[in-house]
Amino acid sequence: MSDKFVSGNLPVLALRGLAIFPDQTVHFEVGRIKSAMALESAMKKDQHLILVPQKDILDDDPGFDGLYPIGTVVKVKQILKSQSENIRVLVNGLYRAKVHALTQTEPFLAGDVSVVDEIPAPKSLHTRALCREANILYGSYVDASEQPAQSVQLKLMASDDCGYIADTIAQHSGIDYRDKARLLAQINPVKRLENVLRFLQQEVQMLEIESHIQERTRSLIDQEQRDYYLREQMKAIREELGEGDEQSEFAEYEKKILQLNLPSESEEKVIRDIQRLKKQPFGSAEASVLRNYLDTVLELPWNTSTKERIDIQTAKKILDQDHFGLEKVKERILETIAVRQLAPEMPPQILCLVGPPGVGKTSVAYSVARSLNRKMARIALGGVHDEADIRGHRKTYVGAMPGRILAAMIQAGSKNPVLLLDEVDKMGSDHRGDPSAALLEVLDSEQNKTYRDHYLEIPFDLSNVMFITTANTTDTIPRPLLDRMEIIELGSYTDEEKLQIAKNHLIPKQLKKHGLKKSQLRLSDDALREVIFCYTRESGVRNLERMLAQICRKAAMRLLDVDAPKRLQMTGSNLEEYLGTRKFLPDRLPGGDTVGVVTGLAWTSVGGETLEVEVNVMEGSGKLELTGNLGDVMKESAHAAMSYIRANAQKLDISTDFYKTKDIHVHFPEGAVPKDGPSAGIAVCTAIVSALTGRSVRSNVAMTGEISLRGRVLPIGGLKEKTMAALRHGIATVIIPKDNEKDLEQIDQTVRKALHFVVTDNVDTVLSTALNCNASIDPPILKDIPEEVRQKNHRSGIRQ
């Protein structure tokens, strides 16, 4: 079908703020569903449809009365889907047409269309003059609008058809769409061109006025003020609209500041900042900084506090509800609360909870806040290495803000909250300062009454705040900071404590979290012990909780099966169905008494472990080989043990020239795991003596202690965790230094009753306890223990 004779019933697409003229190629975007379906209908037939401007651009669903009567029949050249989910259409205008009536409105518009014939334009001097004037005026328009339109100008210069020139200029200019609709309805090309010239002349004049306004604005701004160009325009607009009155805002600031009843020095300083704000031009950077500062001052809880509840019995009840065990920790916290009850005017003590991950340090702090009825805010200090994070940035910097302490006070909304400084041992320091030094003032009750943040610049009282810090170790905390805190150590949980925590806290929590009822899933004590022993290896209970969550997820799946049981019973035998193969197996202790193999005890960040020491003696030239990824301290400890053995070789019934004729290899298995520390000294010494003398080591004996060159056994740390590891791995006797005897009081009674402890201050006792006596050899060390020492140990129940 020819493009010149398409009429009848055609899809109608309403244009919003746009008009398409004949003989013009235009692209536009379609977003409305009806418009998209009209396009789709046209593409299925002959790609023809009529584009009609709508009268109200805010009308999303115009009807016949909402459309202009004259439109343009176009042929669709291309359709593309844009990123904004709109359809981008390229069309070619064919001819004017009139929509007599809409034949349908759903799912798209369609109408009865007929061709509108134009009146032929006469060839006269008047029309030629109009065309020439149109070319000249359109050139002026292009220059004023600074838009590239060379191709359009060339088409205009090459044509003498006044109708085509009028349509082209109307299509490629900023004439209002309502005027374009009138031009589209004008079928007399000469009058249409005259109207186009009138409209275009108005556009040129408007562009000249806009340019003149811009030139005037630029002339008012010198070279140094060009960066404030947009702000000055906003100021001029606000003044024209009569919105420049800011006095009410300043009065509101002053009123709120006076209501805070700040100290006179602080109040005067803030009032001065309000006076400075009054002098700032609207929208200036300095005004924005001052407004943020004043808002921060008003957000701080200067006079807001919560009523503290100091009740020992309530606090004890809350602590027992939230945590199982931790008796020493609870006792110390209750002592602090008791002091607050007797002496409320005393500043709160600063507590530092130290312990391995997952033992409940953070949750204890939350329980303290709940028991005291105080607000709680947590400050994570792990990885902080900038002093400004603590004390804030000065207002002169872009993006300045208060430090974390004041930010936490704003978050708490009270001047007497509990502030938890989490992971205080993991702060760093660099060229920007040391955040731990900034905490010295915060955690000093004599200084924090007038704490000054760099951003706030006025003193703020922190003396009513109860600070609680947490750390995994005190080794990395600077001594001045550590001196300001009272250390409360949270040790590792015993396996029995983990069992009770799981039964009373973790399992109910996970059942509720996973939508399970207590009757639907039951875990026996054997199953829980199996999870603790074989699927987790930690000081706390975080991994244990993850394992229980995994069991709950698997159980939920099982209970929703087609042939689902009503109840699931978890035992040690069916645990692998839910958690898979056991992740941790008990350390393999020697099957029997072995020469040159000693079981030591080690402390790790996740609890205690047994540490096997293996020694081989070979013919050689006296080399001492140390392997197993050892640190410098452990290597030095092995050399100290070797020196002791050489000095006492005759006493130990060892050849005095063994260091010349024998090569000794000391190895710690699990070479991928770094090991360090002096506490394996007596284990290394015992293993070397066993290998050199051929005397086997008792497999049910474990030991820990540092050795000196004189054979003294020196104290070690982490005894609680080490003894729990010994019990877990089936050890019967544990040798510990004499100076650690006092630490036995801190060990769980279950562990203490199950193990036999041997305390000593010399290596001779270690060797006599750990080594089996050969029938042919009676080493002097067994004879050298004084009888009175034997009797004393016998009476005290401790075996030497």
Side-chain angles (χ1 to χ4, degrees):
M1 182 182 291
S2 172
D3 291 342
K4 290 296 185 181
F5 298 99
V6 176
S7 61
N9 191 45
L10 288 179
V12 177
L13 196 154
L15 296 177
R16 191 151 45 183
L18 180 66
I20 307 297
F21 288 84
D23 299 319
Q24 305 298 320
T25 301
V26 182
H27 58 80
F28 59 94
E29 288 191 352
V30 172
R32 289 181 286 191
I33 297 177
K34 281 190 176 182
S35 300
M37 296 188 71
L39 277 174
E40 184 180 351
S41 175
M43 294 303 292
K44 288 180 179 179
K45 295 180 180 179
D46 53 4
Q47 302 178 6
H48 290 83
L49 74 161
I50 183 168
L51 304 182
V52 184
Q54 67 182 63
K55 297 177 181 178
D56 185 2
I57 62 174
L58 299 178
D59 189 355
D60 286 333
D61 189 14
F64 180 76
D65 294 335
L67 301 176
Y68 286 100
I70 305 297
T72 303
V73 174
V74 301
K75 183 173 183 179
V76 181
K77 294 292 187 181
Q78 189 179 41
I79 294 179
L80 295 173
K81 288 189 177 180
S82 63
Q83 294 181 352
S84 61
E85 298 184 356
N86 290 340
I87 301 175
R88 194 166 185 82
V89 186
L90 179 66
V91 299
N92 184 32
L94 300 179
Y95 49 85
R96 287 173 170 80
K98 183 175 182 179
V99 180
H100 295 282
L102 293 179
T103 58
Q104 71 176 56
T105 58
E106 297 294 339
F108 57 88
L109 300 180
D112 184 17
V113 177
S114 65
V115 179
V116 176
D117 295 325
E118 292 192 6
I119 301 174
K123 301 292 184 179
S124 63
L125 291 175
H126 178 67
T127 57
R128 291 176 61 188
L130 284 176
C131 293
R132 181 181 296 180
E133 178 64 21
N135 283 325
I136 295 172
L137 189 58
Y138 188 71
S140 301
Y141 171 79
V142 171
D143 293 339
S145 63
E146 299 180 355
Q147 295 180 355
Q150 293 181 355
S151 60
V152 177
Q153 288 179 288
L154 289 175
K155 291 179 182 179
L156 295 176
M157 294 174 64
S159 176
D160 59 355
D161 184 348
C162 58
Y164 172 77
I165 292 175
D167 290 344
T168 303
I169 292 176
Q171 190 70 68
H172 296 92
S173 64
I175 297 174
D176 187 78
Y177 78 95
R178 291 178 286 266
D179 294 331
K180 288 184 178 181
R182 298 187 187 98
L183 293 173
L184 194 60
Q186 178 58 258
I187 60 175
N188 188 328
V190 176
K191 291 184 178 180
R192 187 161 71 244
L193 183 56
E194 290 175 348
N195 290 335
V196 165
L197 290 175
R198 179 164 54 86
F199 293 145
L200 191 60
Q201 184 66 43
Q202 293 175 358
E203 286 295 316
V204 172
Q205 291 177 356
M206 191 177 299
L207 289 173
E208 290 176 350
I209 293 172
E210 289 179 357
S211 177
H212 181 64
I213 293 173
Q214 291 177 358
E215 288 298 328
R216 284 188 57 191
T217 306
R218 290 193 189 99
S219 65
L220 296 175
I221 304 174
D222 59 17
Q223 187 67 28
E224 295 180 357
Q225 294 176 321
R226 288 189 180 274
D227 292 341
Y228 300 99
Y229 172 64
L230 294 176
R231 298 189 185 96
E232 290 295 325
Q233 280 191 327
M234 291 175 61
K235 179 181 177 181
I237 292 171
R238 288 178 63 90
E239 289 177 352
E240 289 294 327
L241 295 175
E243 297 178 357
D245 186 14
E246 299 175 339
Q247 297 303 316
S248 59
E249 178 189 12
F250 303 142
E252 185 70 18
Y253 272 132
E254 289 187 7
K255 178 182 176 182
K256 290 181 178 180
I257 292 299
L258 294 175
Q259 288 175 350
L260 293 178
N261 294 322
L262 299 177
S264 57
E265 177 187 352
S266 302
E267 187 175 283
E268 290 174 4
K269 196 270 178 192
V270 179
I271 294 298
R272 285 199 304 271
D273 285 332
I274 296 176
Q275 299 301 324
R276 286 175 55 201
L277 178 61
K278 292 180 181 179
K279 300 176 183 177
Q280 301 299 320
F282 176 81
S284 69
E286 181 68 15
S288 177
V289 169
L290 288 172
R291 280 186 172 87
N292 290 337
Y293 171 75
L294 293 172
D295 290 339
T296 301
V297 172
L298 294 174
E299 287 175 354
L300 282 168
W302 296 93
N303 305 307
T304 306
S305 62
T306 55
K307 186 177 180 181
E308 190 175 25
R309 178 180 58 210
I310 304 178
D311 187 341
I312 297 295
Q313 298 304 320
T314 302
K316 186 176 187 303
K317 182 179 179 181
I318 291 175
L319 290 173
D320 289 337
Q321 285 177 351
D322 294 346
H323 299 86
F324 179 84
L326 303 177
E327 300 302 331
K328 295 290 183 182
V329 178
K330 294 178 183 177
E331 181 182 351
R332 181 63 191 85
I333 292 173
L334 292 176
E335 291 172 359
T336 302
I337 297 175
V339 172
R340 290 285 299 165
Q341 185 171 353
L342 295 176
E345 72 283 353
M346 291 289 291
Q349 292 177 300
I350 299 167
L351 306 179
C352 180
L353 306 178
V354 180
V359 296
K361 300 183 294 296
T362 303
S363 60
V364 165
Y366 279 94
S367 297
V368 170
R370 193 157 69 93
S371 63
L372 293 175
N373 192 36
R374 289 192 179 205
K375 296 290 185 66
M376 176 74 183
R378 174 177 170 269
I379 303 173
L381 295 179
V384 173
H385 53 270
D386 188 354
E387 179 208 4
D389 279 347
I390 305 297
R391 300 188 68 94
H393 305 77
R394 300 192 184 280
K395 296 200 300 290
T396 54
Y397 296 108
V398 177
M401 61 183 68
R404 297 196 181 199
I405 301 297
L406 289 191
M409 296 297 295
I410 294 174
Q411 175 189 346
S414 168
K415 69 176 183 180
N416 64 336
V418 174
L419 287 191
L420 173 62
L421 306 181
D422 215 359
E423 310 293 355
V424 73
D425 59 324
K426 295 177 179 60
M427 290 187 295
S429 61
D430 57 15
H431 62 281
R432 289 172 290 185
D434 185 357
S436 62
L439 282 178
L440 294 177
E441 179 185 0
V442 176
L443 299 182
D444 192 328
S445 58
E446 298 298 327
Q447 301 180 37
N448 61 15
K449 295 179 181 178
T450 55
Y451 172 70
R452 285 181 181 267
D453 186 273
H454 287 161
Y455 181 82
L456 196 65
E457 294 179 342
I458 57 177
F460 187 83
D461 187 4
L462 296 177
S463 61
N464 295 315
V465 178
M466 183 175 186
F467 290 98
I468 298 179
T469 66
T470 69
N472 295 129
T473 177
T474 59
D475 296 340
T476 56
I477 302 177
R479 298 305 303 177
L481 183 60
L482 194 63
D483 184 59
R484 284 166 165 75
M485 302 182 291
E486 183 163 352
I487 307 300
I488 299 178
E489 294 188 359
L490 285 77
S492 304
Y493 289 120
T494 65
D495 294 335
E496 286 302 316
E497 286 176 335
K498 291 181 182 179
L499 177 66
Q500 296 302 322
I501 291 172
K503 291 171 63 176
N504 299 327
H505 297 275
L506 301 184
I507 293 178
K509 176 182 175 183
Q510 291 302 322
L511 289 177
K512 181 179 180 181
K513 186 176 180 180
H514 291 82
L516 297 173
K517 297 179 181 179
K518 189 175 180 181
S519 59
Q520 291 178 305
L521 177 62
R522 293 186 178 180
L523 284 84
S524 66
D525 288 356
D526 290 340
L528 288 175
R529 288 192 174 94
E530 191 79 7
V531 175
I532 294 169
F533 296 156
C534 300
Y535 290 93
T536 65
R537 185 165 290 183
E538 56 178 344
S539 299
V541 292
R542 282 180 183 161
N543 287 329
L544 175 59
E545 186 172 8
R546 293 189 186 102
M547 292 296 105
L548 294 176
Q550 182 175 341
I551 291 174
C552 291
R553 291 195 300 271
K554 300 284 187 183
M557 286 287 294
R558 190 73 61 88
L559 290 170
L560 293 177
D561 285 344
V562 177
D563 53 346
K566 293 184 179 179
R567 183 177 66 185
L568 293 175
Q569 180 70 33
M570 300 293 300
T571 62
S573 58
N574 64 354
L575 197 59
E576 290 191 359
E577 299 177 15
Y578 294 82
L579 297 181
T581 307
R582 289 164 172 76
K583 298 179 181 179
F584 303 104
L585 297 176
D587 291 347
R588 294 181 181 177
L589 298 179
D593 297 350
T594 310
V595 175
V597 179
V598 175
T599 302
L601 298 174
W603 179 91
T604 69
S605 60
V606 296
E609 293 291 339
T610 57
L611 184 67
E612 197 172 272
V613 184
E614 299 177 342
V615 174
N616 268 351
V617 177
M618 303 150 286
E619 295 295 332
S621 57
K623 294 180 181 178
L624 176 61
E625 186 76 17
L626 302 174
T627 58
N629 201 353
L630 309 183
D632 292 338
V633 176
M634 185 170 275
K635 290 179 180 179
E636 292 172 359
S637 184
H639 283 291
M642 188 66 180
S643 296
Y644 169 77
I645 295 171
R646 283 183 59 184
N648 296 273
Q650 187 174 3
K651 176 182 178 182
L652 298 173
D653 198 19
I654 300 173
S655 175
T656 55
D657 61 348
F658 77 92
Y659 63 91
K660 298 179 182 178
T661 60
K662 304 290 183 183
D663 285 347
I664 299 176
H665 186 170
V666 180
H667 178 67
F668 292 79
E670 298 185 25
V673 181
K675 308 171 189 69
D676 205 358
S679 62
I682 61 173
V684 173
C685 179
T686 304
I688 295 176
V689 171
S690 171
L692 289 173
T693 60
R695 297 167 60 190
S696 60
V697 182
R698 293 187 175 95
S699 60
N700 63 347
V701 175
M703 60 189 70
T704 178
E706 180 181 355
I707 189 173
S708 73
L709 291 176
R710 301 296 179 184
R712 292 183 295 120
V713 179
L714 304 180
I716 45 82
L719 185 63
K720 179 181 178 181
E721 289 80 6
K722 292 178 179 179
T723 54
M724 284 193 288
L727 176 62
R728 188 166 59 245
H729 294 97
I731 298 297
T733 302
V734 178
I735 303 174
I736 63 173
K738 179 72 174 177
D739 290 341
N740 286 110
E741 185 177 3
K742 62 182 184 303
D743 298 330
L744 293 176
E745 299 296 330
Q746 307 296 327
I747 295 176
D748 186 82
Q749 291 300 316
T750 305
V751 178
R752 191 171 181 184
K753 291 177 181 178
L755 294 177
H756 178 61
F757 291 93
V758 177
V759 297
T760 180
D761 57 1
N762 62 83
V763 176
D764 294 345
T765 307
V766 176
L767 297 176
S768 66
T769 303
L771 297 179
N772 289 311
C773 295
N774 293 342
S776 59
I777 302 174
D778 188 14
I781 56 173
L782 298 180
K783 305 173 184 177
D784 292 343
I785 301 177
E787 183 61 28
E788 59 271 16
V789 174
R790 294 178 183 269
Q791 294 297 329
K792 176 182 177 182
N793 291 336
H794 178 74
R795 290 192 300 270
S796 61
I798 298 176
R799 182 176 144 218
Q800 294 279 3

